[in-house]
Amino acid sequence: MRAFVITGPRTAEVQEVEPPVPGRDEVVVDVERAGVCGTDAEFFAGEMAYVHSGDAPYPIRIGHEWMGAISAVGEGVDPSWLGRRVTADTMLGCRRCERCAAGRQHLCADRYEIGIRGGWPGALAERLPVPVTALHPLPDTVDATLGALVEPGGNALRAFRAAEIAPGERLLVLGPGTIGLLTAQIAAAKGVEVHLLGRDAPSLDFARSLGFPHVWTADTLPALRWDAIVDASTAETLPALALDLVEPGRRVVCIGISSDPSLLDTRTAVLREITIAGVLSASGGLAETIDLYASRAVDPRPLVATTTGLDDLPSILAGTRPPEWGHAPKIHVDPRR
């Protein structure tokens, strides 16, 4: 089968590889749609932390935002899974340790991460092996585009939950990329007044096109009460700004990761009694995200600029983007093309 393989920094190609065979308690999924994430670009550039820690040596097969249909089941798997449309949790814990037993498999020290950590192959390929315990069925109302947006939506939902903000309160989201916009959509659907802080005009204009009127730059941000702040940016300076801006006694949620360390003055957090929460993954947020999409309470499909094929990935990951794709942040891939 065809699979996209990164063999080293800025070196990648579509290769013919052996198709997966389901092991015990596993299925094989025929991938219909997969998203390209900032993590994938970091692997391509050689900047991903897991590359340097040894958790994800090259060659690596990326892709962790996906959906598809089950084409084979292994020993111990109910045959009724065959043909079902699914997505899955990226984080595959060992299922033996205390963290896994407590439902925190995404923090398991021995976890695999699909297309990211431990050598588990990713979804930018025609087929993908997945443990049956990680699967989430997709209803017919969740199409291929929505299905491949469940994983980033689950991250955004968990960021929203961590903000502990109520209907009618005001949320500031830093960074109008995919996660920031998904967080904004979810918050708006739950009755929160949403504001977004960004930097460049095209991304801000795109946020406005989604129906968010309160879109600002650092120079135009009004002096309002911010009941919670979600930092979905990759700017190392913004977590400190969030501590300065958020209402005392409330919460700052960090889900974006900068390439350089973010420096915080913990005295600000102490003296203003601010809680700082980090969000690593979509684990625990996938089922509700599917429900939000299925009901159309949240419809993130406008965030997808285009759907292309595996052969276009090297140029996409290198940052080349045709102007006709517009300014929507997400790119999808159909591996069958």
Side-chain angles (χ1 to χ4, degrees):
M1 70 170 188
R2 299 174 77 236
F4 183 73
V5 184
I6 300 177
T7 55
R10 309 193 75 80
T11 305
E13 63 184 358
V14 179
Q15 296 181 0
E16 289 287 337
V17 302
E18 287 296 317
V21 176
R24 181 174 181 82
D25 299 326
E26 291 181 357
V27 304
V28 170
V29 176
D30 289 350
V31 180
E32 297 178 20
R33 195 68 53 87
V36 180
C37 173
T39 301
D40 301 322
E42 289 180 2
F43 273 121
F44 181 75
E47 298 171 354
M48 176 60 183
Y50 285 169
V51 172
H52 303 288
S53 67
D55 290 308
Y58 296 116
I60 184 169
R61 285 165 47 185
I62 58 173
H64 58 277
E65 305 174 0
W66 59 272
M67 64 78 57
I70 295 173
S71 59
V73 299
E75 183 181 353
V77 179
D78 190 329
S80 66
W81 279 105
L82 283 168
R84 297 184 72 178
R85 300 168 63 254
V86 298
T87 188
D89 196 339
T90 299
M91 308 303 225
L92 311 178
C94 70
R95 299 180 63 80
R96 298 182 302 273
C97 69
E98 291 183 3
R99 294 176 191 170
C100 287
R104 297 193 301 273
Q105 80 282 351
H106 61 295
L107 300 174
C108 172
D110 296 323
R111 70 186 180 274
Y112 292 96
E113 299 178 21
I114 293 175
I116 299 176
R117 188 178 193 263
W120 197 283
L124 287 166
E126 292 180 309
R127 297 182 188 89
L128 173 70
V130 187
V132 68
T133 52
L135 296 175
H136 285 262
L138 298 175
D140 292 339
T141 50
V142 174
D143 62 20
T145 301
L146 289 171
L149 286 166
V150 168
E151 196 277 345
N155 277 276
L157 176 63
R158 291 195 65 231
F160 170 78
R161 289 175 181 168
E164 294 189 1
I165 191 166
E169 292 188 315
R170 184 179 295 122
L171 172 69
L172 178 62
V173 178
L174 311 181
T178 298
I179 299 297
L181 291 171
L182 284 165
T183 303
Q185 286 189 311
I186 291 167
K190 293 181 179 288
V192 171
E193 180 186 315
V194 177
H195 293 244
L196 290 126
L197 177 70
R199 190 168 52 189
D200 61 277
S203 65
L204 297 177
D205 289 341
F206 181 76
R208 292 187 187 97
S209 77
L210 295 176
F212 295 109
H214 307 303
V215 179
W216 316 103
T217 65
D219 293 331
T220 63
L221 184 69
L224 299 174
R225 169 190 168 117
W226 306 111
D227 297 304
I229 298 180
V230 173
D231 178 19
S233 77
T234 57
E236 69 273 12
T237 58
L238 288 189
L241 176 65
L243 285 188
D244 290 334
L245 293 177
V246 73
E247 177 70 9
R250 301 303 295 265
R251 298 172 71 89
V252 169
V253 180
C254 298
I255 189 168
I257 300 177
S258 62
S259 57
D260 294 320
S262 298
L263 301 180
L264 299 175
D265 188 341
T266 58
R267 294 172 297 182
T268 303
V270 171
L271 295 174
R272 304 184 77 232
E273 286 204 353
I274 297 165
T275 300
I276 304 170
V279 174
L280 172 65
S281 79
S283 301
L286 298 170
E288 185 180 346
T289 300
I290 292 169
D291 290 342
L292 288 169
Y293 292 177
S295 67
R296 296 298 187 270
V298 174
D299 186 356
R301 287 176 292 186
L303 274 61
V304 179
T306 192
T307 300
T308 187
L310 291 173
D311 293 318
D312 292 330
L313 280 169
S315 60
I316 291 169
L317 293 171
T320 301
R321 180 177 171 133
E324 60 267 24
W325 288 2
H327 299 292
K330 179 62 63 176
I331 296 172
H332 275 180
V333 172
D334 183 342
R336 302 167 298 183
R337 292 187 180 182

